[in-house]
Amino acid sequence: MQYRGSYYNYKVIADDGSMLVMNMRTEAKIKIPKKYVSKISCVIDPNVKTQIDEKRVSKLLEEGFVVPDTLDESKLIEMKINELVFGGETLDVTILSTLDCNFRCSYCFETTNDYRMTLETEERVIKFFEREIPHCKQLRLSWFGGEPLVCTEQVLRMTRRINDICKKNKVPMRGFISTNGYCLEVPVFRELVKNRITKFQICLDGPERFHNVSRPHSFNDDSYRKILENLINIKNNVGSGVYKIAIRCNVTPTVEPYMEEYIDELSRYFKGDNRFSLIFQCVRNWGGEKVKEEQIVKSEQEVYMKLFLMAREKGVNSSEAISLAPVVGVCQAAQRNGFMIDPKGNLRKCSLAMFNKDTKNVDQIGTIDSNGKKHINEEKLAKWIMGMSEHKEKCKKCFLFPYCMGGHCPYSKNILNKDDCNLYNESILKEHLLAYDKSYSIKVWDEI
């Protein structure tokens, strides 16, 4: 049988001349010592077909670095995508308790209003979970907004009730909240973690003087200090290792030259603590009327390469905390069993679409009645989920295909009909591998 290298091998040459390789389909990582690099490069090259000694490279075969020439690897990825899009094992729900927010971010795509979920709507939503959870094998619960913790009591109350429903039905729950962190004081944090909300995303947009301009509180002049104080208090007073906090910086051309100052400050508090990671997102035009052209960087890839490298050199957990697992990015909006519940109890798909006047109608795919039963408009649903496993040939042979899936955003791909390429992720992938190597987390195969 003839073999070839996988199309999904990604290679980086480290400073010592060794070669780090990650297979994006299997997530396997190896480090090839310098003396073997030339020989193994040919073996794992997708354009080289050869007869090989299976015993001698058995580990490469087991980990997917080498595959039979007859194998269509893209079909395996498309099968996984279809399992997530059409499978019913995971119920993936994001709740928007309110569209209100205590911040006035300069690039926000949302139109803020003070509408909040009523107690009557809350009961409908809880009944929805009582109906749906017994029929799934896992619940992914997320909180978003507006700012969800503007409604702290409701978020905590609903999370407890949903967690209890999961426990009653022996269904595991994975919880996430995207919050600006202003109201995330230790007692609130403890209660969220206790009820299985263990992943957090909190934004600090560069050094204090820049953050307070781009993410100002509605009445407090210094939102940065309050958020940082909350994070430090959590670090010092909540000893559990089950939670993960991603501190996200939304990068603009204005703040980018000062990012070393920002990373230096955060490293003083969070260096060496793997519960905290620092991630970067270049500001984009996500819609709305606020974002300005001067807030958008010209080359995301260059910015990510620079910032993730800087974080690695300063010892802050960063690129290594980003999951690059295959099809991990299948958005809730692309899943038949994925829903966003707005403050009025409507079933939706995407917050970007909800705030776009041209797409907000197709975004609302259904409703929840007083008994918690969902009513879905199948025609609208089909627009979001059909075609998500159809890809261009050039995408199928790209090393990033298992991760980006040829453009995995259903809003962009299916609703706006845009052809997006995510090659900027290569810079994150490179730093991800180098960071793992720095911590000696990649096995060395010197017996090949």
Side-chain angles (χ1 to χ4, degrees), residues 207 209-210 251-262 297 303 306-307 310:
R209 60 191 182 279
F210 293 102
V251 183
T252 64
T254 301
V255 73
E256 193 265 332
Y258 303 93
M259 289 299 292
E260 185 168 10
E261 173 190 338
Y262 167 76
V297 301
V303 170
K306 173 183 175 181
L307 298 182
M310 193 179 296

Side-chain angles (χ1 to χ4, degrees), residues 26-87:
T26 65
E27 283 189 275
K29 302 180 182 74
I30 56 170
K31 180 172 183 175
I32 308 297
K34 183 177 180 180
K35 61 183 177 180
Y36 295 124
V37 167
S38 178
K39 182 183 294 185
I40 299 303
S41 291
C42 294
V43 176
I44 64 174
D45 188 332
N47 298 309
V48 177
K49 300 177 185 179
T50 183
Q51 299 282 350
I52 59 174
D53 183 344
E54 293 183 21
K55 291 183 179 179
R56 194 153 176 253
V57 294
S58 60
K59 291 184 179 181
L60 294 177
L61 284 165
E62 289 170 10
E63 301 282 8
F65 296 105
V66 174
V67 298
D69 183 47
T70 56
L71 177 65
D72 186 345
E73 296 177 274
S74 68
K75 294 296 184 187
L76 300 179
I77 301 302
E78 290 174 332
M79 182 172 66
K80 282 182 172 289
I81 295 171
N82 281 329
E83 286 173 357
L84 284 172
V85 171
F86 300 109

Side-chain angles (χ1 to χ4, degrees), residues 178-439:
S178 178
T179 169
N180 58 38
Y182 194 85
C183 299
L184 194 64
E185 297 178 335
V186 168
V188 175
F189 184 83
R190 286 186 189 276
E191 188 66 14
L192 287 168
V193 172
K194 178 182 175 182
N195 286 281
R196 295 196 275 186
I197 304 295
T198 57
K199 291 190 175 182
F200 299 76
Q201 179 174 275
I202 298 165
C203 293
L204 283 174
D205 281 4
E208 182 175 1
R209 60 191 182 279
F210 293 102
H211 169 94
N212 287 334
V213 172
S214 67
R215 296 181 65 83
H217 192 277
S218 55
F219 58 82
N220 183 338
D221 291 336
D222 194 350
S223 62
Y224 182 94
R225 281 293 136 193
K226 174 63 175 173
I227 298 167
L228 187 57
E229 177 185 303
N230 284 343
L231 290 170
I232 294 170
N233 285 338
I234 289 167
K235 172 186 168 64
N236 293 335
N237 295 288
V238 185
S240 167
V242 301
Y243 66 83
K244 299 290 184 182
I245 298 178
I247 303 171
R248 167 171 158 166
C249 181
N250 295 295
V251 183
T252 64
T254 301
V255 73
E256 193 265 332
Y258 303 93
M259 289 299 292
E260 185 168 10
E261 173 190 338
Y262 167 76
I263 296 172
D264 279 338
E265 177 169 26
L266 292 185
S267 70
R268 287 201 296 272
Y269 302 110
F270 305 113
K271 180 179 180 179
D273 191 332
N274 289 333
R275 297 171 301 176
F276 295 82
S277 61
L278 182 56
I279 61 175
F280 309 100
Q281 172 64 61
C282 293
V283 170
R284 298 174 185 164
N285 186 350
W286 288 293
E289 303 298 327
K290 290 185 178 181
V291 69
K292 303 292 188 298
E293 186 64 31
E294 58 266 25
Q295 291 177 292
I296 300 173
V297 301
K298 291 182 179 179
S299 172
E300 289 194 25
Q301 186 159 350
E302 290 180 11
V303 170
Y304 293 142
M305 187 74 76
K306 173 183 175 181
L307 298 182
F308 282 112
L309 170 62
M310 193 179 296
R312 173 165 61 88
E313 289 178 337
K314 294 179 182 296
V316 183
N317 194 37
S318 189
S319 59
E320 62 268 45
I322 299 173
S323 175
L324 296 169
V327 307
V328 71
V330 173
C331 174
Q332 152 198 295
Q335 301 173 42
R336 184 181 184 90
N337 215 24
F339 306 100
M340 184 176 72
I341 303 177
D342 73 16
K344 295 184 178 180
N346 297 310
L347 294 172
R348 294 184 173 274
K349 279 295 185 181
C350 171
S351 57
L352 292 176
M354 182 174 71
F355 286 100
N356 183 333
K357 60 181 175 58
D358 297 323
T359 59
K360 65 181 181 181
N361 181 53
V362 72
D363 177 60
Q364 185 179 330
I365 62 164
T367 57
I368 302 171
D369 68 22
S370 59
N371 296 312
K373 184 178 180 180
K374 67 178 186 289
H375 299 271
I376 303 294
N377 183 315
E378 296 285 336
E379 180 183 359
K380 290 182 180 180
L381 175 62
K383 291 180 179 180
W384 286 92
I385 67 176
M386 297 306 295
M388 288 308 296
S389 63
E390 296 173 4
H391 306 101
K392 296 180 178 179
E393 288 303 314
K394 68 174 183 178
C395 292
K396 293 179 182 181
K397 293 185 178 182
C398 173
F399 66 90
L400 275 173
F401 179 62
Y403 177 67
C404 85
M405 296 162 286
H408 62 266
C409 172
Y411 177 55
S412 180
K413 184 173 182 178
N414 287 8
I415 307 303
L416 299 181
N417 297 311
K418 288 185 177 179
D419 184 13
D420 291 335
C421 181
N422 299 306
L423 272 174
Y424 62 82
N425 282 306
E426 180 181 0
S427 55
I428 301 172
L429 174 56
K430 179 180 179 181
E431 284 304 316
H432 178 88
L433 269 177
L434 290 169
Y436 264 87
D437 183 48
K438 182 180 179 180
S439 63

Side-chain angles (χ1 to χ4, degrees), residues 8-12 20-22 24 399 426 429-430 433:
Y8 307 134
N9 292 332
Y10 178 73
K11 296 170 283 188
V12 174
L20 311 176
V21 190
M22 178 173 179
M24 300 300 289
F399 66 90
E426 180 181 0
L429 174 56
K430 179 180 179 181
L433 269 177

